Amino acid sequence: MTFEDQVEVTLPTGEKTKIHTGLLINGQFVKSKNGKKFPTVNPANGQVIAEIYEADKADVDDAVQAAKAAYKTWRHVDGAERGKLLSKFADLMDANAKTIAAIETLDQGKLYGISLFHTHASASTLRYYAGLSDKIHGKTMMDTNKFFNYTRHEPYGVTAGIIPWNYPLDMWTMKVGPAIAGGNVIIIKTSEKTPLTGLILGALAKEAGFPDGVIQVLSGFGPTCGQALAEHPEISKIAFTGSGRTGRRILETSAKSNLKKVSLELGGKSPALVFEDADLDLAANVLAGTFYYNNAQTCVASSRIYVQKSVADAFTQKFTAAAQAIKVGSPFAEGVTQGPIVDDLQFNQVLKYIDAGKQEGGKLVLGGNKIAGDGYFIEPTVFSNVPETSKIMTEEIFGPVVCVNTFETEEEVTERANNTTYGLAAGVFTKDLNRAVRVSSNLEAGTIWVNQWLNITPQVPFGGYKESGIGRELGEDALKEWTQIKSVKIAM
Ligand code: ADP
């Protein structure tokens, strides 16, 4: 590895760290075949942090060949050994957490404390799958006395993960953890907006001792590198997190190539239902705290809040006060509670939605402006009384713009909450246990939060109803997405 292939980055603490800029293929950081690089930008000031090698179809081919070669040996590695490697990898993440978190904040813009939390949370995901690696087993069945049958849960072999930019560390480990536990080899393509921490994790996987070609990392763009992965006839399974548009495209591409298995975690427009008997302080603080977390660049953001009419004014006041208390600024600065939007494209997209909200008749209660300066900062924004069919009420914004509407009855609000093509998450705020359970049953979403929000843990499956996705991540259920069942039938 030559020094030219690493870039030295100065962290806000003054500490310097080196990051590989190459692609991790077959255990080595290498230049892309075409030699092209692309810049990754610090959204807090618009300045280039580093130039990163850009993978193309030819690099995808190389990675797939290395993966195939690695799988020949890897498929015989015991689950316990895979678990040991994942555990070691998790320990290395924890040990390097401060550097990983600082780079994540530089590249993505989320608060440093939040990046630190997600670094450790991502290590926990790896550790959870380390524990499951040697607990994958099938069943035995006797159909008649003449035949003995058993099932094996076998890996797909060469797999890929395409991940987005909002939670790069979580997305990386939510794909790699179960892929490795299930016995696969995996190629990860990071988002072109946030390539840096994926490269650090690649280096740590190497340090943990994963054999060459088992975990590979490609930086690159969707239509080139991502498309080449989706098209590749020798990749058997692909897991994607990102927009519905791209998810559909990957599914179509799979249908036109080799019918690779596809799991998708897509967007949402998640409704939070606040009933009149709810603890309003809790509801307002939890919803404001979790909605604006990471600038609402969160697929499960509670972007549609429905409040029962009798408490609507009180709730809106408390929610708005909590939102107003948010201090926007450098994600490294003391006292700041919201950083910049990830990049200029997303920034302009969010501002367009705010304009649409103003034009479509919603009442602007708070914010609604960009903040002057070099970075991509937007005020926490609240609209109320928003027309149900308007853009900001129906489309995923991925920015700090929330809609607060009112309702009269449980039946009515359940229907309105479900009146969306999405189904990723939903939530209920109430002190009435019967109502909490009833409404949770009636809401059409993969995750329902009761008197809380955004609590995502490795043990509990996560994924979407309706157009929010296919398959589940996390929990034991994710292993079903990374293994296939073989039935062996023995004549006795
Ligand atoms: P966003 O618009 O939020 O960036 P995308 O769905 O476009 O969401 O991006 C999520 C991930 O999908 C990124 O890694 C991106 O590079 C990748 N991607 C985008 N287009 C394609 C495509 N046509 N094929 C495969 N991957 C893609």
Side-chain angles (χ1 to χ4, degrees):
M1 188 73 235
T2 58
F3 176 66
E4 291 78 59
D5 294 334
Q6 294 187 54
V7 64
E8 189 169 71
V9 177
T10 305
L11 305 178
T13 51
E15 190 192 331
K16 291 184 193 310
T17 188
K18 283 180 198 159
I19 304 174
H20 291 281
T21 57
L23 314 171
L24 179 59
I25 297 180
N26 203 20
Q28 299 299 319
F29 283 92
V30 296
K31 297 182 180 185
S32 49
K33 282 234 158 105
N34 61 19
K36 274 204 277 183
K37 283 182 164 184
F38 67 98
T40 187
V41 170
N42 176 354
N45 59 19
Q47 285 172 13
V48 173
I49 308 166
E51 300 271 346
I52 298 297
Y53 282 103
E54 177 188 332
D56 219 329
K57 189 175 180 317
D59 307 292
V60 168
D61 282 337
D62 280 0
V64 171
Q65 294 320 311
K68 272 178 67 183
Y71 185 61
K72 284 193 179 140
T73 314
W74 182 248
R75 66 189 289 267
H76 301 296
V77 171
D78 286 344
E81 178 61 22
R82 300 198 300 269
K84 229 194 236 176
L85 289 167
L86 278 176
S87 272
K88 189 150 179 222
F89 187 5
D91 290 347
L92 286 170
M93 275 190 82
D94 282 335
N96 289 279
K98 285 187 178 159
T99 308
I100 297 171
I103 297 293
E104 187 77 323
T105 293
L106 270 184
D107 207 16
Q108 203 277 342
K110 59 166 61 72
L111 296 184
Y112 173 69
I114 291 183
S115 292
L116 201 55
F117 170 80
H118 284 277
T119 308
H120 292 301
S122 299
S124 299
T125 299
L126 292 180
R127 212 167 272 122
Y128 172 78
Y129 285 105
L132 282 183
S133 293
D134 62 354
K135 295 170 192 68
I136 296 169
H137 47 75
K139 292 180 181 159
T140 60
M141 307 98 167
M142 295 295 291
D143 39 15
T144 68
N145 282 337
K146 287 198 197 119
F147 301 103
F148 166 61
N149 313 292
Y150 65 91
T151 55
R152 289 168 51 81
H153 291 222
E154 296 191 342
Y156 283 106
V158 178
T159 69
I162 299 181
I163 61 172
W165 46 264
N166 57 344
Y167 294 94
L169 295 163
D170 307 73
M171 298 298 138
W172 204 103
T173 50
M174 278 161 72
K175 307 276 181 291
V176 170
I180 295 295
N184 303 281
V185 298
I186 181 165
I187 303 166
I188 283 280
K189 188 198 94 62
T190 52
S191 167
E192 59 276 16
K193 295 181 202 265
T194 54
L196 295 181
T197 49
L199 292 166
I200 302 181
L201 295 197
L204 293 181
K206 193 169 143 66
E207 193 180 332
F210 281 99
D212 294 350
V214 170
I215 297 176
Q216 304 184 86
V217 184
L218 303 178
S219 316
F221 289 82
T224 48
C225 178
Q227 183 71 18
L229 287 167
E231 278 171 3
H232 209 290
E234 292 176 290
I235 293 177
S236 310
K237 190 238 146 61
I238 198 157
F240 170 77
T241 302
S243 64
R245 183 179 30 84
T246 305
R248 273 171 204 275
R249 176 142 196 171
I250 290 173
L251 207 50
E252 273 167 22
T253 308
S254 157
K256 287 183 190 146
S257 57
N258 62 337
L259 277 180
K260 58 176 64 62
K261 306 297 174 276
V262 177
S263 54
L264 303 173
E265 200 267 275
L266 308 173
K269 193 75 187 172
S270 300
L273 281 49
V274 181
F275 286 91
E276 59 192 358
D277 68 337
D279 177 335
L280 290 188
D281 287 316
L282 174 104
N285 288 328
V286 164
L287 287 172
T290 55
F291 178 75
Y292 293 107
Y293 186 87
N294 198 26
N295 244 321
Q297 299 167 123
T298 306
C299 51
V300 292
S302 57
S303 47
R304 291 186 293 148
I305 300 179
Y306 291 103
V307 195
Q308 204 152 16
K309 213 162 199 165
S310 52
V311 294
D313 287 347
F315 172 84
T316 309
Q317 228 168 44
K318 288 175 194 288
F319 181 92
T320 308
Q324 203 159 19
I326 290 170
K327 188 161 176 241
V328 184
S330 161
F332 285 102
E334 194 82 14
V336 164
T337 49
Q338 185 169 293
I341 299 286
V342 71
D343 72 353
D344 56 343
L345 279 175
Q346 190 61 22
F347 176 72
N348 289 318
Q349 181 80 7
V350 176
L351 292 174
K352 268 196 214 148
Y353 274 115
I354 292 176
D355 280 346
K358 288 175 184 167
Q359 279 159 28
E360 284 179 316
K363 181 179 168 208
L364 182 63
V365 181
L366 184 74
N369 300 301
K370 62 181 171 186
I371 296 172
D374 292 333
Y376 312 122
F377 297 94
I378 296 181
E379 292 172 348
T381 298
V382 181
F383 281 96
S384 69
N385 301 317
V386 185
E388 284 284 311
T389 54
S390 65
K391 263 173 110 70
I392 61 165
M393 198 61 189
T394 54
E395 294 180 19
E396 186 173 38
I397 300 175
F398 244 63
V401 183
V402 76
C403 299
V404 182
N405 277 357
T406 59
F407 70 91
E408 305 263 7
T409 68
E410 180 185 313
E411 200 183 5
E412 169 216 336
V413 74
T414 307
E415 200 168 304
R416 282 164 67 192
N418 287 338
N419 188 17
T420 167
T421 54
Y422 291 116
L424 193 56
V428 189
F429 287 81
T430 179
K431 284 186 191 150
D432 177 344
L433 185 60
N434 289 336
R435 171 180 275 153
V437 172
R438 190 172 58 236
V439 175
S440 297
S441 304
N442 291 334
L443 287 170
E444 296 166 357
T447 296
I448 313 290
W449 280 296
V450 177
N451 296 326
Q452 59 161 333
W453 204 276
L454 202 57
N455 178 10
I456 297 175
T457 48
Q459 296 78 8
V460 183
F462 175 76
Y465 274 30
K466 301 197 265 189
E467 293 179 27
S468 285
I470 298 177
R472 290 293 176 269
E473 298 199 285
L474 297 174
E476 285 183 51
D477 293 273
L479 284 177
K480 292 185 195 145
E481 312 288 336
W482 293 95
T483 50
Q484 50 192 340
I485 298 179
K486 176 184 280 173
S487 299
V488 182
K489 308 179 70 118
I490 303 175
M492 303 295 285

